[in-house]
Amino acid sequence: MSNKPPAGSFTLLYFAAAATYTGKATEPLPASLPISKLFDTLESQYPGIKQKVLASCAVTVNLDYVDVEEDGRASDLVIRDGDEVAIIPPVSSG
Amino acid sequence: MGAFALSLTLALSLASILTSAALLPRSLVCANDGTTRAGDLFLRDNLSPQPPALQPRADYSLPCAICVPATRTAVLIRSFEAVSGTMGTIIYEMLVAAAAQAGVTLDTLGDGLVRDGCVNVVSNGVRWISINQNNHQQTLSVVAAAIKAVAMFMRGSGEYGWVTFDIMDGMNQLGDLKRQLSAAENVANVVSPTNEPTPSSGVWKWPLEAEEYKRYGRQMIMPEIGLQGQLRLKKATVLIVGVGGLGCPAAAYLAGAGVGKLGLIDGDTVETSNLHRQILHSTGRVGMLKVDSAIDYLRQLNPKVEYVPHKSHLTPTTALDIFKSYDLILDCTDHPTSRYLISDAAVLSGTPLVSASALRTEGQLMVLNNPPTIPGTRDGGPCYRCVFPKPPPPASVLSCGEGGILGPVVGVMGVLMATEAIKVIVAGLDKSRKVESNGTDPSMRSEAEPSMSNWTGQPTSKERHSLLLYSAYGDPPFRSVRLRGKRARCDVCSDSPTITKDSLTSGSLDYAVFCGIPNPVNVLSKEERIDPQDFAHRVSGAAEEHVLVDVRDKAQFDICHIEGSINIPITALDCATGDNNDDSTNPGLYALRDSSAPIYAVCRFGNDSQLAVQKLKTLGYGDNGRKYIGDIRGGLRAWKEYVDPAWPEY
């Protein structure tokens, strides 16, 4: 996971249900990507993931929590080359 | 088992509020033979080797004794034999006020009946009786409140008076009694403003007991804790919601660290499948309430902590009432509904919350509502809703029973919760933010806690809020994510919240609806389903050629499977597209395509098998209806129940 992504890409980290759904813990995606398009990009790769997993997830960029969408307004943040983006579903069991 | 009783008499005067403290050990004859109940009252004159007769309740007089069953502690306070009438009423009111400050609930009807927490003005003074279940903190609070009331009275009136405490310990633990009395003297020293040092003739003068210096020394010698930190721990009240994989280790370390009061909430009983991770329980306690099992263990670990059992699950209508008695909450539950409920109640009651979860090989940890929200402001740490405003879709929610859990992974998360709890307590809880639901004036509350006057109460809003992620198989295994502060439109934290104390306590909030209820899978027609016993009959002795497809994950298939079945996990079916590529990635699918025999799908509980039948038909394995495809109703659980009792259910 700690390996650097190939040039021109960013690293996606999948946790919990996101890792289960994609079958991966991590993968590189091409940069740059507006964060507002992240979920659609993943949906095209993993049909159903948006509704079944992503809708309730927290998202971080370089270990900072970000709002992909707040108050109905899309974030204008852009994911850059070399960034690390994490998809963190709420885990409730214990 | 007889109860021990000790008396402590304090004589007070204006010149020296505390002039003497005498211990007068005295055994009382108590009838623990089933004929007495807590709160039964007897004239002391009637005490004899035989169980005393119960006196009519209307005509008792001082002095008296109280007989309690073996598991209870009673405190009887008698004072001011010389005062009555108006004076008695003044003292009565002071007692009630002091008790409220000490957090002791009193029945103030004064109707002459003897019951738990009853206080009466009688002809020659005031009598106050408190009975509890070995609740030493409460006992001390009662004693402290009475001393304080007497001191206040003496200061105001300039008169001389005295107060007597009879403390009867039903557990027959003399050590505990001595502890109570020595602590009572400490309380008296704290309360009395003109307190003169007691002559040092062997009298303990330190803020902790000798045993506590030994017990907690290894953590107290660290600068992070110190004596002040230990005193804060001792003063702290912590509620653990859920006594499972997270709650067990968290409770063990908090009890070990010496928190004053530890409440445990859980309505479940111990099951064998809990034991690989829920370390307070044991094989011999299967079937016992988890709360009882845990407290048994914790008492052995540290009898100095007060343990409070709450033997049912938390509900919206009771949450605030329970939370108000605690300084800090630990969410150790296992479902989104309880996570949102606990977070909402923590915000509304002004209580910090340590929240963690674990599934399979991963865990999450957050300290929420720290410092607590001040209503109508954005001051304070984020809550669970601020971080996860939308609950996960119900179908995606897996319990540990469904998804699996590695014992030490949830153990690590529970231990981390205890660490964070200790950090929050030792840093100094800002109790001024505690939302009192009983209307107590916070300033009086702080006066009632003079030993805590050195608490910093520093707002910690500049501290970063973080979400810690643990992945046992990750590299690195730990990641800490910086969280934002409160969400401006949070349903509970925002300026115009939709979730309020009223909506919570009225029961109008339905957390099950908010989080969604998973629909039971029922997608097949009657003809597409077969009961396990019918299936067994149909295929016995190879009467019918068939293919049995087990759609569980490979790990579960490898634990046990029905002889002759093949494994095509539902996850593999989900990805299948129906072309030849499938056959190369899963030989099982190739075998299906190649056969004209009917196909039966089976899984653990009979849900995935239905989806598998649908998917197989969609992929064309049914040969346009010419080939039967169905599932085994109720899965392998029903298989064990109706066909094979020797099936190893896991």
Side-chain angles (χ1 to χ4, degrees):
Chain A
M1 266 197 216
S2 55
N3 293 340
K4 284 200 166 181
S9 62
F10 67 91
T11 304
L12 257 180
L13 304 176
Y14 299 110
F15 290 91
T20 309
Y21 201 91
T22 59
K24 292 169 187 165
T26 175
E27 71 175 323
L29 279 187
S32 306
L33 181 70
I35 192 122
S36 56
K37 293 195 174 151
L38 176 64
F39 286 5
D40 288 333
T41 305
L42 292 173
E43 176 72 19
S44 64
Q45 208 164 330
Y46 307 99
I49 193 172
K50 199 170 168 179
Q51 184 255 323
K52 286 180 180 169
V53 179
L54 301 178
S56 60
C57 282
V59 177
T60 66
V61 175
N62 299 328
L63 299 180
D64 274 325
Y65 187 100
V66 295
D67 277 309
V68 177
E69 188 181 274
E70 189 171 28
D71 306 342
R73 196 171 50 82
S75 164
D76 49 12
L77 183 79
V78 176
I79 305 169
R80 304 282 179 197
D81 188 357
D83 282 353
E84 184 189 73
V85 177
I87 306 289
I88 306 165
V91 170
S92 51
S93 56
Chain B
M1 171 163 57
F4 273 86
L6 292 188
S7 280
L8 167 67
T9 300
L10 298 180
L12 299 108
S13 70
L14 189 63
S16 173
I17 296 293
L18 186 64
T19 55
S20 70
L23 299 183
L24 306 168
R26 176 171 63 247
S27 284
L28 291 176
V29 177
C30 268
N32 287 313
D33 58 359
T35 63
T36 57
R37 292 171 291 118
D40 283 349
L41 179 72
F42 307 96
L43 293 182
R44 184 171 284 165
D45 295 342
N46 283 356
L47 294 178
S48 70
Q50 295 302 315
L54 187 63
Q55 298 299 305
R57 294 188 168 192
D59 68 0
Y60 59 80
S61 61
L62 293 172
C64 67
I66 293 179
C67 200
V68 291
T71 56
R72 294 202 168 196
T73 299
V75 188
L76 170 67
I77 294 168
R78 294 171 286 129
S79 61
F80 304 105
E81 271 192 332
V83 296
S84 61
T86 310
M87 293 295 266
T89 307
I90 292 170
I91 296 161
Y92 165 88
E93 284 167 358
M94 286 181 167
L95 267 177
V96 173
Q101 278 184 15
V104 180
T105 311
L106 288 178
D107 173 2
T108 55
L109 292 175
D111 59 2
L113 290 177
V114 176
R115 58 171 81 86
D116 189 8
C118 140
V119 53
N120 295 136
V121 181
V122 291
S123 60
N124 51 358
V126 175
R127 173 197 294 133
W128 179 13
I129 298 159
S130 174
I131 298 165
N132 57 59
Q133 295 195 336
N134 275 312
N135 185 330
H136 297 134
Q137 285 303 124
Q138 188 180 333
T139 301
L140 294 181
S141 300
V142 166
V143 172
I147 294 173
K148 188 178 170 83
V150 172
M152 282 159 56
F153 172 77
M154 297 316 302
R155 229 176 301 160
S157 70
E159 291 194 33
Y160 177 87
W162 58 267
V163 58
T164 295
F165 305 90
D166 283 286
I167 303 174
M168 283 147 279
D169 189 315
M171 280 293 273
N172 202 0
Q173 291 172 345
L174 206 51
D176 264 1
L177 272 175
K178 285 177 180 162
R179 185 177 76 84
Q180 285 176 20
L181 290 173
S182 111
E185 289 174 274
N186 285 336
V187 171
N189 288 336
V190 167
V191 169
S192 169
T194 55
N195 162 40
E196 288 168 6
T198 317
S200 61
S201 53
V203 175
W204 192 257
K205 60 180 181 180
W206 305 98
L208 293 170
E209 294 162 47
E211 203 260 0
E212 290 175 309
Y213 285 90
K214 284 209 172 72
R215 181 181 282 268
Y216 307 123
R218 299 285 157 88
Q219 67 189 33
M220 268 199 289
I221 59 176
M222 298 186 305
E224 289 84 355
I225 308 294
L227 174 64
Q228 187 192 47
Q230 194 62 50
L231 289 171
R232 286 175 178 178
L233 284 166
K234 189 173 179 174
K235 188 78 181 171
T237 58
V238 181
L239 178 67
I240 294 184
V241 189
V243 193
L246 295 165
C248 283
Y253 278 100
L254 288 177
V259 298
K261 180 165 100 172
L262 201 54
L264 303 174
I265 300 190
D266 206 313
D268 285 343
T269 52
V270 178
E271 296 177 23
T272 304
S273 62
N274 302 149
L275 298 177
H276 82 292
R277 66 191 189 282
Q278 301 185 11
I279 56 167
L280 302 189
H281 312 312
S282 59
T283 308
R285 295 196 188 127
V286 169
M288 192 172 174
L289 272 171
K290 285 186 177 179
V291 165
D292 289 334
S293 165
I295 290 179
D296 268 8
Y297 181 102
L298 295 169
R299 271 198 219 287
Q300 294 289 315
L301 177 66
N302 190 352
K304 294 188 171 300
V305 177
E306 178 197 346
Y307 300 101
V308 182
H310 301 272
K311 301 182 184 185
S312 59
H313 292 303
L314 194 70
T315 63
T317 47
T318 58
L320 284 179
D321 197 40
I322 294 175
F323 280 22
K324 75 179 181 195
S325 311
Y326 294 94
D327 302 328
L328 179 68
I329 312 293
L330 269 59
D331 182 351
C332 303
T333 63
D334 60 358
H335 199 272
T337 50
S338 48
R339 300 225 164 255
Y340 284 100
L341 165 60
I342 291 166
S343 174
D344 292 347
V347 171
L348 295 172
S349 63
T351 320
L353 169 66
V354 180
S355 180
S357 60
L359 186 69
R360 295 182 171 148
T361 61
E362 293 183 23
Q364 300 178 349
L365 170 77
M366 292 183 282
V367 180
L368 299 167
N369 197 41
N370 184 47
T373 304
I374 295 175
T377 73
R378 288 189 70 176
D379 197 359
C383 78
Y384 194 79
R385 281 182 196 276
C386 295
V387 181
F388 293 116
K390 291 180 197 158
S396 75
V397 175
L398 292 178
S399 69
C400 289
E402 295 157 340
I405 178 70
L406 192 60
V409 168
V410 69
V412 160
M413 300 318 294
V415 172
L416 285 171
M417 291 178 92
T419 311
E420 292 304 320
I422 290 171
K423 282 164 65 183
V424 170
I425 293 166
V426 168
L429 293 158
D430 186 359
K431 290 193 186 182
S432 67
R433 298 189 181 206
K434 186 84 182 170
V435 179
E436 297 286 344
S437 29
N438 57 7
T440 305
D441 180 351
S443 62
M444 289 188 71
R445 183 191 177 90
S446 60
E447 193 193 346
E449 296 168 349
S451 62
M452 288 298 108
S453 58
N454 52 357
W455 281 35
T456 63
Q458 287 297 316
T460 47
S461 43
K462 283 178 186 165
E463 285 176 14
R464 53 174 266 174
H465 305 291
S466 61
L467 161 60
L468 182 70
L469 301 165
Y470 172 46
S471 303
Y473 285 81
D475 175 23
F478 287 97
R479 274 189 167 80
S480 183
V481 168
R482 277 178 296 278
L483 294 175
R484 293 191 168 174
K486 292 195 166 298
R487 187 175 288 273
R489 296 205 178 178
C490 175
D491 287 343
V492 67
C493 297
S494 75
D495 299 344
S496 49
T498 54
I499 295 165
T500 63
K501 283 168 91 166
D502 285 345
S503 67
L504 191 69
T505 47
S506 70
S508 63
L509 289 172
D510 193 330
Y511 287 85
V513 169
F514 171 68
C515 293
I517 300 159
N519 298 318
V521 181
N522 195 5
V523 296
L524 299 184
S525 69
K526 196 162 171 271
E527 291 70 34
E528 289 173 301
R529 311 206 69 184
I530 183 169
D531 286 329
Q533 54 271 49
D534 293 340
F535 171 77
H537 180 72
R538 197 178 289 180
V539 302
S540 66
E544 179 194 275
E545 193 191 345
H546 69 282
V547 182
L548 179 58
V549 180
D550 189 326
V551 301
R552 295 174 298 159
D553 288 344
K554 182 176 183 301
Q556 295 188 52
F557 183 81
D558 287 346
I559 292 171
C560 52
H561 57 263
I562 295 175
E563 200 178 340
S565 60
I566 62 170
N567 185 214
I568 308 176
I570 186 75
T571 45
L573 273 179
D574 278 344
C575 301
T577 51
D579 55 29
N580 290 339
N581 286 339
D582 294 345
D583 300 348
S584 58
T585 52
N586 194 310
L589 283 170
Y590 178 77
L592 284 190
R593 194 184 298 283
D594 204 33
S595 159
S596 60
I599 299 171
Y600 298 95
V602 69
C603 66
R604 195 173 173 193
F605 301 125
N607 294 328
D608 284 347
S609 57
Q610 296 182 54
L611 303 175
V613 167
Q614 276 193 324
K615 182 75 180 182
L616 285 170
K617 289 189 172 179
T618 308
L619 293 174
Y621 287 93
D623 202 7
N624 289 325
R626 284 187 286 274
K627 188 162 77 180
Y628 177 84
I629 305 181
D631 89 318
I632 295 180
R633 196 193 305 270
L636 293 164
R637 186 165 56 185
W639 179 258
K640 178 181 176 72
E641 188 176 352
Y642 298 112
V643 178
D644 182 7
W647 177 260
E649 195 170 39
Y650 50 88

